[in-house]
Amino acid sequence: SQTIHQWPATLVQPVGSPLSLECTVEGTSNPNLYWYRQAAGRGLQLLFYSVGIGQISSEVPQNLSASRPQDRQFILSSKKLLLSDSGFYLCAWSNGDNSPLHFGNGTRLTVT
Amino acid sequence: QKEVEQNSGPLSVPEGAIASLNCTYSDRGSQSFFWYRQYSGKSPELIMFIYSNGDKEDGRFTAQLNKASQYVSLLIRDSQPSDSATYLCAVSGQAGTALIFGKGTTLSVSS
């Protein structure tokens, strides 16, 4: 069966510090991969999605970036965090455009 | 801009009642429709998906789709306090794009 791992579960970082969140999927090949952010009390905001290695689509222009160095690995990064980057970051995978998304457990990021 | 609309709630129902959650979408080309449940502080989990007009039942849950009206709903029969959560509706977009999520409806089931 397929599983998705996302870490860390919680993170507290000062403003201006770098960020690296990692997500890996097991049990499937060539998945679509996604990064979402959910601010407190808000809906899901799509940040990035990827249909293959090295293929990244950005939905929101901001100080975040994503990379997919391997088929089942997706990394979210920032060089300098802003207060507004605080939120619940969710990685997800799917088998295609019309397939359901399956979410990881999320990372709760607090920028202080 | 493709949109998915849900009433934010809260929707309050007594234990044992039927909870009805509704969602409308703007893209007539959407083909796949999903319902997710999200408990506070947790990630969304998939509970239902539907691709064709009509009803689809899974245990206490029934998803209903009406493409002509661009409307999808989720019925929860015999609601339990453990069903208290935020329910997210998601709709497929154009080819090569991600699912579009609504902002969710908060359901509260009182015992």
Side-chain angles (χ1 to χ4, degrees), chain A residues 16-92:
Chain A
S17 64
L19 173 73
S20 180
L21 301 180
E22 189 165 341
C23 169
T24 59
V25 180
E26 296 177 356
T28 187
S29 296
N30 196 31
N32 287 358
L33 297 173
Y34 308 84
W35 279 110
Y36 284 86
R37 179 172 63 198
Q38 190 174 40
R42 306 286 296 275
L44 288 171
Q45 179 187 30
L46 178 65
L47 301 175
F48 301 95
Y49 69 94
S50 171
V51 298
I53 295 174
Q55 301 178 61
I56 309 292
S57 296
S58 173
E59 292 295 308
V60 184
Q62 54 195 352
N63 66 321
L64 299 174
S65 62
S67 62
R68 185 171 177 172
Q70 299 180 44
D71 181 44
R72 291 169 289 174
Q73 183 185 26
F74 206 24
I75 298 171
L76 180 70
S77 304
S78 174
K79 292 182 180 179
K80 288 185 178 181
L81 285 169
L82 307 172
L83 285 173
S84 58
D85 290 324
S86 293
F88 191 38
Y89 287 80
L90 291 157
C91 181

Side-chain angles (χ1 to χ4, degrees), chain B residues 11-25:
Chain B
L11 173 65
S12 298
V13 301
E15 184 175 357
I18 296 175
S20 178
L21 304 161
N22 305 314
C23 171
T24 59
Y25 59 95

Side-chain angles (χ1 to χ4, degrees), chain A residues 90-106:
Chain A
L90 291 157
C91 181
W93 71 272
S94 77
N95 279 326
D97 292 344
N98 291 311
S99 300
L101 295 187
H102 304 277
F103 289 89
N105 289 333

Side-chain angles (χ1 to χ4, degrees), chain B residues 43-58:
Chain B
S43 61
E45 60 176 318
L46 178 71
I47 53 173
M48 289 286 291
F49 59 88
I50 186 167
Y51 300 138
S52 304
N53 275 330
D55 295 358
K56 179 181 179 182
E57 186 174 319
D58 183 2

